[in-house]
Amino acid sequence: MTGHDAVFLLVALFTGGAALLTVTSKNLFHAALFLAATLAGIAGVFLVLRADFLALVQLVVYVGAVAVLFLFGLMVTRAPIGREALDGQNRGLALAVSGTLFVVLSGLIIQSFGGVRAAEVTGPGIREIGIAIFAHWVLPFELLSMLLLAALIGAILLARRESGESGEESVERRIDFGDEPSTEAGAQALPAADTAGELPAGEPVAGGER
Amino acid sequence: MTDLVLEQAVTFAAQSASLLTFDSFLLSVAAKIAFALGLFFVVPLVGGYMEHKVMARMQHRRGPVEAGPFGSLQLVADGIKFIQKEDIIPRAADKWVFAAAPGVALVPGMLIFLVIPLGPGVFALDLELGLFYALAISSISVLGILMGGWASANKFSLIGGLRAGGQLIAYELPLILAAITVAVQAQTLSLVGIVEAQSTFMLPGTDINVWFVFPQIIGFGIFFIAAMAELSRPPFDMPIADSELVFGYMTEYTGIKFAMFLLTEYGGMIIMSALMVVLYLGGWQLLPGVPLPGCDGAGGLFDCGWLGTLAGVGITLGKIMALVFVMVWLRVAYPRLREDQLQRMAWIVLVPLALLNLAVVTVAKVVF
Amino acid sequence: MATTSAPGVGLLKGLGVTIKHLFKQPATQMYPKQRPDLAPRTRGVIALMDENCTVCMLCSRECPDWCIYIESHKETVPPAKEGGRARTRNVLDRFAIDFSLCMYCGICVEVCPFDALWWSPEFEYAEYDMGKLLHEKEKLREWMDTVPAPPMLEEGAVAPAEVTDAIAKKEKELEAEAEKQREASAAAEAPKSKAVESGGGAPKKADVEVKGAGEIDQETFDKLIAEGKSERIARSKAKAAWVRKEKERLRAEQESAEGGAEGEGAGEEAAAKPKAAQVEVEAGQIDQETYDKLIGEGKSERMARAKAKAAYVRKERARLTAEQETASAEPATDDAQADDAGAVEGADAEPAPAQKVADVHVEGTGEIDQETFDRLIAEGKSERIARSKAKAAWVRKEKQRIIDEGGDA
């Protein structure tokens, strides 16, 4: 085992651990943070495999943008401040799907690159990547960007208010926002615990209603 | 084991040699780390001191006067004070995330100093992807801010973190687009290479040597505004907005953690100024087309002797401080924007303008 | 972005304003290192002139914070005159202001009827302990030295009653003193010139016999009336003054008979250095205006005449003083005028040294009495207090010196 392998192993362990924690974490925000760590770990794997450009792309796109957008979205919508336990009901299904995916993907990868030693890999330079993308593969690249553009426009269309809708509606929607079940559950859980501790036991205040 | 890592390092780095590269690998590593850390911990203090003084004088005050000669050690004194303060963690806070946030915000700043060239040969690394590296790493510190805002279990912190997230996502786009335009013109992503390209760039049709700020004045403006917003500097300090949000995502932080956030901001000012100097203002050249003393040898920009090297470092630092001065000046002159004005400015003005700039420069590059 | 016709102009203007201010001097006053630039009558602390305090308790009662503590006891003062009534007087034992309670409203200063409380610009009396902010009357009295002198009266304003009273009192004292001196000098000279009359040889007051029954000294009478004394007192005092003058005249006659050139010499000396204080006016004329006014007000003719005379004297004195001042301002002194003044002085038998005291004006521009200063510093007083006290001491000494010189003359 060379030093290179050792570094790879360390990075891989970090990435794998973070990925595991992402799915087992009960706090949504923590899960998102572990996801960010996983993505950063993948960038580390790229770096070890001498794909510097890809590593940096991974960092700027996934850690700097996607993970941040996840966190941002979480904070805008659910804002689970403090400790909050979340759990999905589909653990078994999820395990089955991801397990199958893992087996299929690792089988494919080992079949294709099983004989290549990581230390011998030399990644292409930035110049080669540029020429490859913008000369040989320019059509797929542009098609992909069209796809992204379509997704973007679609998102705007979905989020946009209809022309007939007025400002009043937005007020109403804001109230709806506050009454979202999950937020309410979170909001009620904490004060209930507080009042139970503070009020005398004989008082049948909020506790009786629940 | 070391030889393999060394091999790795060699492929990862350097067309042009850094002065900090020695025969011994470990010595080189130590020297480079010391260089980056020294830059990170000293230059921001100078910038901060200047901010204190300039802002004070613009407001008819004196600024710090007691600590050190003319108050120059005020920030050092502040640092010592921060270290002594109690480290308070709110009971409802998410302890680990709360504690990790300042580090996540701070470390990227340190890493960026690795690629910033201060003078001929005075840099830690000359990455082939230097510019991309700097921008990619700087985008990570948003995570730290979001983490701090969320983990504080405080609504002001949360709103501050949200604003910071929205702002940093919005302004990263024009920032990167403006930087890409420079890369297109220089035909390289290496920061040293960009400086070199500016020393040979001639105005089309003439033999007048100019820096990139002249053909790309719009790009420079976009980069400057976006950099100020990225750093949450006034007038773009909505994430902190002390009149509305107490102190935004830093509200619950005390002591050394707070100091780390502050250092991130001051370090960020230096990083962004340094990037602007490298991208637009010709790096360590005194004037367009004027070589440094001793730099007219065969090595051109890089073989300058110790006098030219020192002069180059001085010129770069001087330019950085001049840009910091402008940032402070803008801070004093302008009131804070509103959140919607900020977003509108990013998406409706800066992004299209930056795209247009990129298109024009690319076409011009092909035509001339 | 800007909707105005010239977008961005406002932004540039803002930058211009800030950069302009960068080069202006900061407004900061570096207080502990530099003295702050305070107005002379800054309300820093409340000082107490405890001699003026009559323990009327007004300040203590008016104080909204109840931060003034006063303690006193009563003393019986023996009657001023034989057969009078003994009076009781309040004596101040303790006067303390708790500056940790005081809100510096200044009501006590306003309300004090006897000018015992004053605003002092002293402000450096912070303490590390709140209890130490309770200051007793000794400390409050110390601050009195830092109180700036009251502003000068307006030109031609009538002097306040206290001042004229004080002048009259001092006048009397000095007169008595001068008399004593004159007697002493006469006693000293007597054996020199001639072996005079009886006994021990020294001429005494009693030696000169004055025959007078009812004559009064009109001048004194007029003056006293003008000062607002009752007619009865004025008359008796004037009578006494007449006797005094007469005695003096007789003695002077005696002495001149003995061949004294001193009188003349004295006159010359006085003429040599005319002072504002020494202006004398020959009484006798009246100020018609005042006279008419008083008559119009229904005063008796005699009263009106006296007051008018006094008014005339006042006016004349002011005029002469002004003249002299202008004369002495020029280096080439008008000899004639000086002689004139001397003549006036000489002609008037009664020198009025009291006015001298009152009018001695010492021009103190910062000189301090080094001795006092050193002593106070050695006692541990603050430099500021020491300086102001030393200044006051210097002024006192200077005054004394001038008075002494005047006395010599």
Side-chain angles (χ1 to χ4, degrees):
Chain A
M1 183 158 117
T2 61
H4 193 269
D5 292 334
V7 173
F8 180 84
L9 201 65
L10 276 178
V11 176
L13 278 177
F14 170 81
T15 312
L20 260 179
L21 284 170
T22 305
V23 291
T24 53
S25 171
K26 297 209 167 152
N27 186 314
L28 202 55
F29 198 88
H30 284 180
L33 284 181
F34 283 124
L35 178 66
T38 313
L39 295 171
I42 291 170
V45 172
F46 288 151
L47 213 54
V48 174
L49 295 175
R50 296 186 199 179
D52 347 341
F53 181 74
L54 199 54
L56 290 179
V57 168
Q58 173 81 15
L59 269 188
V60 77
V61 172
Y62 284 95
V63 181
V66 171
V68 167
L69 271 179
F70 269 26
L71 294 175
F72 187 73
L74 276 179
M75 282 160 80
V76 168
T77 52
R78 311 180 73 104
I81 290 187
R83 299 173 200 88
E84 183 204 25
L86 268 185
D87 206 359
Q89 273 82 51
N90 306 322
R91 283 199 157 204
L93 191 61
L95 189 67
V97 170
S98 53
T100 318
L101 211 60
F102 179 75
V103 169
V104 169
L105 275 181
S106 37
L108 275 175
I109 289 170
I110 289 169
Q111 210 178 2
S112 316
F113 305 107
V116 184
R117 287 197 52 78
E120 294 156 13
V121 176
T122 44
I126 170 83
R127 196 168 294 272
E128 289 83 60
I129 294 174
I131 288 168
I133 290 180
F134 291 105
H136 300 302
W137 304 99
V138 66
L139 191 65
F141 180 79
E142 288 303 323
L143 278 177
L144 265 177
S145 60
M146 282 300 288
L147 185 69
L148 284 176
L149 189 64
L152 213 69
I153 292 170
I156 291 172
L157 266 179
L158 284 176
R160 220 176 68 130
R161 212 179 290 141
E162 291 298 316
S163 56
E165 289 176 274
S166 66
E168 281 172 352
E169 223 255 337
S170 76
V171 177
E172 231 174 60
R173 274 180 63 186
R174 221 177 287 153
I175 296 165
D176 285 347
F177 228 67
D179 287 344
E180 226 175 278
S182 68
T183 321
E184 197 184 26
Q188 276 174 356
L190 280 174
D194 284 348
T195 45
E198 277 166 26
L199 290 174
E203 291 258 11
V205 204
E209 285 175 301
R210 272 168 226 167
Chain B
M1 172 173 170
T2 33
D3 55 326
L4 270 166
V5 183
L6 174 65
E7 188 192 336
Q8 174 92 8
V10 169
T11 42
F12 200 71
Q15 309 121 310
S16 46
S18 160
L19 287 181
L20 298 168
T21 309
F22 302 104
D23 291 337
S24 156
F25 173 72
L26 289 176
L27 189 64
S28 304
V29 168
K32 287 171 181 183
I33 290 175
F35 172 78
L37 284 185
L39 274 186
F40 187 72
F41 283 110
V42 177
V43 185
L45 292 190
V46 180
Y49 172 65
M50 196 174 81
E51 167 161 41
H52 277 51
K53 273 297 190 190
V54 168
M55 208 158 78
R57 292 304 295 265
M58 282 178 172
Q59 295 166 345
H60 280 209
R61 297 181 288 117
R62 276 184 197 279
V65 285
E66 297 295 341
F70 301 102
S72 54
L73 298 180
Q74 183 61 47
L75 283 174
V76 178
D78 279 351
I80 293 169
K81 179 194 74 177
F82 280 132
I83 290 169
Q84 293 170 23
K85 284 203 161 189
E86 187 190 353
D87 183 24
I88 299 171
I89 299 177
R91 193 181 305 154
D94 196 309
K95 283 189 190 56
W96 288 105
V97 182
F98 186 80
V104 175
L106 184 74
V107 170
M110 291 187 189
L111 291 177
I112 292 175
F113 273 109
L114 280 174
V115 293
I116 291 189
L118 279 192
V122 186
F123 43 80
L125 294 170
D126 175 23
L127 295 186
E128 196 188 355
L129 293 165
L131 179 58
F132 193 34
Y133 168 86
L135 295 173
I137 296 284
S138 75
S139 69
I140 296 178
S141 54
V142 196
L143 265 182
I145 290 170
L146 283 176
M147 283 162 72
W150 176 79
S152 296
N154 175 321
K155 56 187 162 195
F156 296 115
S157 297
L158 184 72
I159 296 174
L162 266 179
R163 286 189 180 183
Q167 179 170 330
L168 267 54
I169 291 167
Y171 279 88
E172 192 150 322
L173 214 52
L175 188 83
I176 291 180
L177 284 173
I180 284 175
T181 316
V182 172
V184 167
Q185 187 156 12
Q187 285 183 301
T188 174
L189 281 171
S190 152
L191 290 178
V192 179
I194 288 171
V195 173
E196 201 177 8
Q198 289 185 72
S199 74
T200 55
F201 176 74
M202 302 293 170
L203 271 186
T206 63
D207 54 355
I208 305 165
N209 178 218
V210 289
W211 296 336
F212 287 163
V213 67
F214 296 106
Q216 295 206 27
I217 185 73
I218 296 172
F220 180 69
I222 293 169
F223 194 96
F224 196 95
I225 292 171
M228 298 253 294
E230 282 278 294
L231 298 170
S232 305
R233 294 280 307 167
F236 303 104
D237 62 337
M238 279 68 86
I240 294 167
D242 24 17
S243 52
E244 309 160 24
L245 295 182
V246 190
F247 214 61
Y249 55 87
M250 293 189 233
T251 302
E252 297 288 356
Y253 280 92
T254 55
I256 189 71
K257 289 175 188 160
F258 181 74
M260 283 165 83
F261 269 129
L262 276 193
L263 191 61
T264 308
E265 183 182 331
Y266 284 121
M269 267 167 82
I270 303 298
I271 288 166
M272 286 302 175
S273 302
L275 282 180
M276 276 184 266
V277 169
V278 169
L279 294 183
Y280 295 101
L281 298 177
W284 57 85
Q285 303 166 67
L286 182 58
L287 286 169
V290 180
L292 286 173
C295 285
D296 30 20
L301 266 182
F302 299 100
D303 185 19
C304 286
W306 64 270
L307 189 67
T309 308
L310 272 187
V313 172
I315 288 167
T316 311
L317 290 177
K319 285 178 184 172
I320 290 174
M321 285 306 151
L323 285 174
V324 173
F325 171 82
V326 176
M327 286 188 183
V328 175
W329 187 9
L330 294 173
R331 171 180 184 170
V332 177
Y334 297 140
R336 187 183 302 131
L337 268 74
R338 223 168 45 214
E339 189 64 31
D340 62 319
Q341 294 170 331
L342 175 97
Q343 293 290 343
R344 183 168 297 138
M345 183 165 157
W347 294 109
I348 295 188
V349 180
L350 290 186
V351 172
L353 208 58
L355 282 170
L356 193 70
N357 184 43
L358 175 62
V360 168
V361 169
T362 315
V363 169
K365 185 79 191 168
V366 174
V367 170
F368 293 112
Chain C
M1 289 253 290
T3 49
T4 48
S5 56
V9 169
L11 296 178
L12 291 179
K13 219 185 266 176
L15 289 179
V17 169
T18 39
I19 200 78
K20 215 164 58 196
H21 282 258
L22 177 65
F23 299 105
K24 286 192 178 168
Q25 269 302 310
T28 318
Q29 295 189 359
M30 304 297 290
Y31 159 57
K33 291 176 187 164
Q34 280 171 19
R35 299 297 309 165
D37 184 17
L38 296 175
R41 289 187 191 278
T42 302
R43 297 175 166 200
V45 74
I46 295 166
L48 171 73
M49 183 81 147
D50 58 351
E51 298 94 319
N52 283 359
C53 181
T54 62
V55 202
C56 66
M57 303 293 279
L58 276 179
C59 51
S60 183
R61 259 182 291 168
E62 293 296 330
C63 178
D65 292 337
W66 290 77
C67 68
I68 302 181
Y69 309 108
I70 301 177
E71 285 165 21
S72 71
H73 68 273
K74 286 201 168 159
E75 267 177 13
T76 311
V77 185
K81 270 186 202 161
E82 195 68 37
R85 191 156 52 88
R87 292 170 193 275
T88 55
R89 194 169 71 88
N90 276 321
V91 180
L92 187 66
D93 292 330
R94 177 177 187 233
F95 192 105
I97 301 180
D98 191 344
F99 285 105
S100 60
L101 295 179
C102 178
M103 63 178 184
Y104 301 90
C105 61
I107 289 176
C108 53
V109 178
E110 290 295 319
V111 87
C112 181
F114 298 106
D115 282 348
L117 288 173
W118 295 79
W119 278 113
S120 152
E122 182 68 28
F123 63 96
E124 289 167 309
Y125 51 96
E127 297 286 352
Y128 284 105
D129 187 348
M130 240 164 80
K132 288 182 185 159
L133 282 168
L134 176 66
H135 288 301
E136 300 292 335
K137 72 167 187 260
E138 289 73 26
K139 183 77 183 166
L140 300 178
R141 181 64 182 83
E142 242 168 53
W143 280 323
M144 196 59 217
D145 296 326
T146 61
V147 174
M152 295 302 286
L153 287 179
E154 260 180 55
E155 193 78 23
V158 179
E162 302 97 297
V163 175
T164 45
D165 281 357
I167 289 173
K169 204 175 152 198
K170 190 77 189 170
E171 195 175 331
K172 224 191 215 168
E173 270 172 32
L174 282 165
E175 211 169 288
E177 215 169 279
E179 193 120 332
K180 237 186 259 166
Q181 270 182 12
R182 232 176 280 127
E183 269 168 35
S185 64
E189 255 163 61
K192 237 195 280 168
S193 57
K194 201 177 180 183
V196 204
E197 291 107 339
S198 61
K204 288 194 182 100
K205 228 186 202 173
D207 292 346
V208 186
E209 207 67 47
V210 177
K211 298 213 168 34
E215 290 99 333
I216 63 163
D217 185 45
Q218 191 59 38
E219 197 183 329
T220 312
F221 181 76
D222 293 347
K223 183 159 68 65
L224 288 165
I225 291 291
E227 280 165 12
K229 297 281 193 273
S230 82
E231 210 212 283
R232 189 194 171 108
I233 286 182
R235 185 177 300 279
S236 66
K237 286 202 173 182
K239 226 180 254 179
W242 182 83
V243 171
R244 263 204 309 280
K245 275 198 183 169
E246 200 66 6
K247 267 184 196 165
E248 222 161 276
R249 195 178 54 77
L250 286 174
R251 206 181 293 124
E253 269 175 17
Q254 259 184 12
E255 275 169 21
S256 62
E258 283 150 19
E262 312 104 19
E264 226 184 290
E268 270 168 19
E269 218 181 312
K273 36 176 165 177
K275 290 208 181 77
Q278 286 165 337
V279 175
E280 282 304 324
V281 182
E282 263 187 305
Q285 274 154 305
I286 62 164
D287 186 47
Q288 195 57 39
E289 197 181 329
T290 314
Y291 180 77
D292 292 345
K293 185 161 65 71
L294 288 164
I295 291 290
E297 279 168 20
K299 297 279 193 289
S300 81
E301 210 236 6
R302 184 177 181 133
M303 183 72 87
R305 183 176 300 276
K307 287 206 170 180
K309 235 181 239 179
Y312 173 75
V313 170
R314 260 204 308 277
K315 277 195 184 167
E316 202 63 8
R317 199 181 283 158
R319 193 179 57 78
L320 284 174
T321 310
E323 267 178 20
Q324 263 189 9
E325 263 166 20
T326 49
S328 61
E330 290 156 0
T333 314
D334 192 348
D335 280 347
Q337 178 151 354
D339 282 348
D340 245 23
V344 169
E345 171 95 4
D348 200 338
E350 185 193 89
Q355 266 146 9
K356 239 185 275 172
V357 174
D359 290 8
V360 167
H361 180 63
V362 177
E363 204 72 48
T365 50
E367 289 97 337
I368 63 164
D369 186 46
Q370 194 57 36
E371 196 185 325
T372 314
F373 183 75
D374 294 346
R375 185 169 54 75
L376 288 166
I377 289 290
E379 280 168 13
K381 298 280 194 272
S382 83
E383 208 214 279
R384 190 187 171 121
I385 287 181
R387 185 173 298 278
S388 65
K389 283 203 169 182
K391 224 182 255 180
W394 182 82
V395 169
R396 262 203 306 281
K397 280 196 182 172
E398 197 64 11
K399 258 185 199 165
Q400 194 57 49
R401 196 177 57 77
I402 290 173
I403 290 167
D404 288 344
E405 275 175 14
D408 291 341

